[in-house]
């Protein structure tokens, strides 16, 4: 197994204090122009990031961006393609559906201060605006104690620190052309916060499968049969396969709209897809309070691949 952290984008656990997720579509009006702009952006984006890190050294800027399957096919029709990059398709369960939604380019920018996030995304869009339209822009924040907006501690099952790279980065033995890249699945949920807040704490705990304040896992006989931490796993042949996941709260309180933006990074899309399939086919109890409104798979290229794009080598 061989991975190189220095060659990867920021696909580790770091939800940040302030977060922006942006999904764009290519206009598909002038392929030559779009090639030129994407090449320029692949070249300039790292400089923008590095400059901001020098100017604001304490703000812990982290950025990941990439392409959907449709975008890859359009921009790089003659190039090899990441093995598991495909269009996400609806996952239909007996009660709920994980919808597939459009998107060509995806950006996940986070930092301690909102000004840094703004400045980076603003500079990105100065380059990309002529060839793109906006599908979605969501601004998230770190909730109290880093909890999910539903009040539970988030991400305790995540691989920690450098170990997380073993779960997010593609191995050179598995897909050598795309080593150190990652698959990113983005999914936006809207919550029925009134129903959730009116649920007694012990029922909330049964829904999640953990204690709300201590985060200790409940015994199996205490959980709902379809508790979130049971059905959201990918367990095969006695082995639990993990990804790095982040749940980022967002809200417009005056409009009574509150939700969670889920981003999952993995070295294998199959793992994330199995988790999602389990959640929806087994009617995850949390879905009684959380409605997915988007879902798109993206590939986050390594810096090596971004250099190839910048040099026009993939077209």
């Amino acid at each position: 197994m061989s991975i190189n952290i220095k060659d990867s984008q920021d696909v580790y656990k770091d939800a940040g204090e302030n977060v922006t997720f942006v999904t764009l579509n290519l206009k598909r009006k002038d392929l030559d122009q779009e090639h030129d702009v994407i090449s320029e952006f692949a070249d300039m984006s790292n400089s923008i990031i590095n400059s901001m890190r020098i100017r604001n050294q304490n703000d812990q800027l982290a950025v990941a961006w990439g392409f959907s399957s449709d975008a890859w096919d359009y921009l790089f029709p003659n190039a090899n393609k990441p093995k598991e990059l495909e269009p996400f398709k609806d996952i239909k369960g007996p009660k709920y559906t994980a919808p597939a939604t459009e998107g060509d380019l995806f950006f996940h920018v986070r930092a301690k201060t909102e000004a840094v996030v703004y400045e980076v995304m603003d500079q990105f869009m100065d380059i990309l605006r002529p060839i793109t339209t906006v599908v979605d822009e969501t601004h998230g924040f770190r909730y109290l104690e880093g909890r999910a907006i539903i009040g539970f501690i988030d991400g305790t099952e995540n691989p920690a620190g450098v170990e997380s790279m073993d779960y997010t980065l593609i191995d050179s033995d598995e897909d050598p052309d795309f080593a150190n890249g990652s698959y990113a699945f983005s999914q936006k949920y809207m919550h029925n916060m009134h129903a959730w807040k009116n649920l007694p704490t012990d029922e909330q705990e049964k829904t999640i499968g953990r204690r709300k304040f201590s985060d200790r896992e409940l015994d199996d006989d205490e959980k709902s049969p379809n508790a979130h931490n049971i059905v959201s796993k990918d367990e095969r042949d006695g082995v639990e396969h993990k990804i790095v996941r982040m749940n980022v709260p967002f809200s417009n309180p005056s409009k009574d709209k509150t939700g969670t933006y889920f981003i999952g990074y993995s070295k294998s899309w199959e793992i994330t897809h199995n988790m999602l399939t389990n959640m929806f086919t087994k009617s995850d109890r949390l879905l009684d309070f959380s409605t997915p409104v988007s879902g798109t798979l993206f590939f986050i290229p390594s810096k090596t691949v971004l250099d190839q794009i910048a040099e026009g080598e993939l077209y």
Side-chain angles (χ1 to χ4, degrees), residues 1 3 159 161-170 242 267:
M1 183 176 76
I3 58 175
V162 176
E163 178 191 1
S164 68
M165 296 303 184
D166 292 333
Y167 295 86
T168 58
L169 299 186
I170 297 171
K242 294 187 177 183
K267 65 181 180 181

Side-chain angles (χ1 to χ4, degrees), residues 4 54 69 113 129 132 145 147 154 202 241 249 254 259 268 302:
N4 180 1
I54 292 170
S69 177
T113 59
R129 192 171 289 112
T132 61
E145 300 178 306
R147 294 176 183 267
D154 179 50
D202 63 330
H241 302 271
S254 63
S268 170
S302 67

